Amino acid sequence: MIADEDVTIGYDRDLPPVVQSVSLRAERGAVTAIVGPNGSGKSTLVRALLGRVPLIGGRILIDGMNVASIGRRDLSRRCAVVTQREDTTFARNVAEYIALGRYPHQGSWSAAASGESEAVQIAARRAGVEQLLGRVTDELSGGEWQRVRVARALAQGGEALVLDEPTSFLDVGHEMQVFQLAVSLAESGAAVLLVSHQLNLVARFATSMVLLHKGSVVAVGTPDVVMRGELLERVYDWPLVVTRDPAVNAPMLVPLRRTT
């Protein structure tokens, strides 16, 4: 379980916080989605979980343990994270890159970089990148690179997975694959915390949604609770309606043309 308890984050103490008193829970066996406009604090919460941004107030818990008191390797064994952006300094074999996810468990570069472990093969298969294992990372398209990054997180294991915009650069088929994978991991007992702009896919697949606006939680609950037209129109500052997805009867956002 991942929990933020009254979390406040600021990059400059002389300026207002970018995240203000946010509380949320990502339970085991569920896909919890954080949504909201650009600049609402979604990725900042992920960076705080990784320890890249200090908290002004509150705490972040993994299975009831304060992440501030957990060593980095122990945290990595418990929770895998796919950040929104990542640049590699050196190109490397895809299998070796995925095997880096095993480093917190093995603690040896030679063991982690072999690319031969069963965990790497399983992770590649689950992420749909088996055919890329012999490639080099700088030869990959944006979508292939994104899926390889997901595979590395799967190889890392743990009972919690955080995905920050995991469908960036992906076509519709691979977007669906990633969301279905998130559901599969949750069904196997993991806590999945997903940051996404894809509200309609989130509404299809998420167990619960947390809607952020200007650094604060403005709604939390099932997609039916959060996906309300008047609320989303105010948060996103754009005319829209919410109808029903004809395929699965989930709520579906339809943006409208602004007439003035």
Side-chain angles (χ1 to χ4, degrees), residues 82 93-95 97-98 123 127 129 132-133 137 140 142-154:
V82 178
N93 177 272
V94 167
Y97 175 82
I98 295 173
V129 296
L132 302 178
L133 289 176
T137 54
L140 303 177
E144 289 170 338
W145 172 234
Q146 193 75 341
R147 287 185 287 139
V148 165
R149 295 177 63 218
V150 172
R152 185 190 64 176
L154 296 179

Side-chain angles (χ1 to χ4, degrees), residues 22-33:
V22 167
S23 295
L24 61 87
R25 295 174 66 88
E27 302 283 358
R28 288 177 181 265
V31 176
T32 302

Side-chain angles (χ1 to χ4, degrees), residues 32-38 40 42-43 46 84 163-168 175 178-179 193-203 206 209-211 236:
T32 302
I34 303 177
V35 300
N38 291 332
S40 59
K42 304 183 300 296
S43 293
V46 176
Q84 187 174 130
L163 302 169
D164 189 359
E165 295 291 351
T167 59
S168 297
E175 282 182 333
V178 168
F179 272 88
L193 184 62
L194 178 84
V195 176
S196 180
H197 283 292
Q198 300 283 12
L199 287 175
N200 289 336
L201 284 177
V202 166
M209 300 173 65
V210 180
L211 177 62
Y236 286 93

Side-chain angles (χ1 to χ4, degrees), residues 39 41 49 51 54-55 66 69 74 88-89 96 105 107 121 132 148 161 185 207 219 221 238 241 253 259:
L49 172 63
L55 302 186
N66 192 331
S69 64
D74 190 17
T88 56
T89 305
E96 292 176 353
H105 303 276
Q121 301 296 324
L132 302 178
V148 165
L161 177 65
L185 293 169
T207 311
W238 196 264
V241 296
L253 180 151
T259 56

Side-chain angles (χ1 to χ4, degrees), residues 228-241 256:
R228 292 181 286 114
E230 70 280 4
L231 173 62
L232 297 180
E233 189 169 82
R234 174 172 59 84
V235 167
Y236 286 93
D237 190 27
W238 196 264
L240 56 86
V241 296
L256 305 176

Side-chain angles (χ1 to χ4, degrees), residues 9-11 43-56 60 67-68 72 75-76 80-87 97 149 152 156 164:
I9 306 167
Y11 293 102
S43 293
T44 297
L45 289 172
V46 176
R47 288 193 286 271
L49 172 63
L50 293 171
R52 296 179 180 173
V53 184
L55 302 186
I56 295 175
I60 301 174
V67 299
R72 297 300 294 270
L75 177 61
S76 297
V81 180
V82 178
T83 57
Q84 187 174 130
R85 298 180 183 89
E86 179 183 354
D87 296 316
Y97 175 82
R149 295 177 63 218
R152 185 190 64 176
Q156 187 174 330
D164 189 359

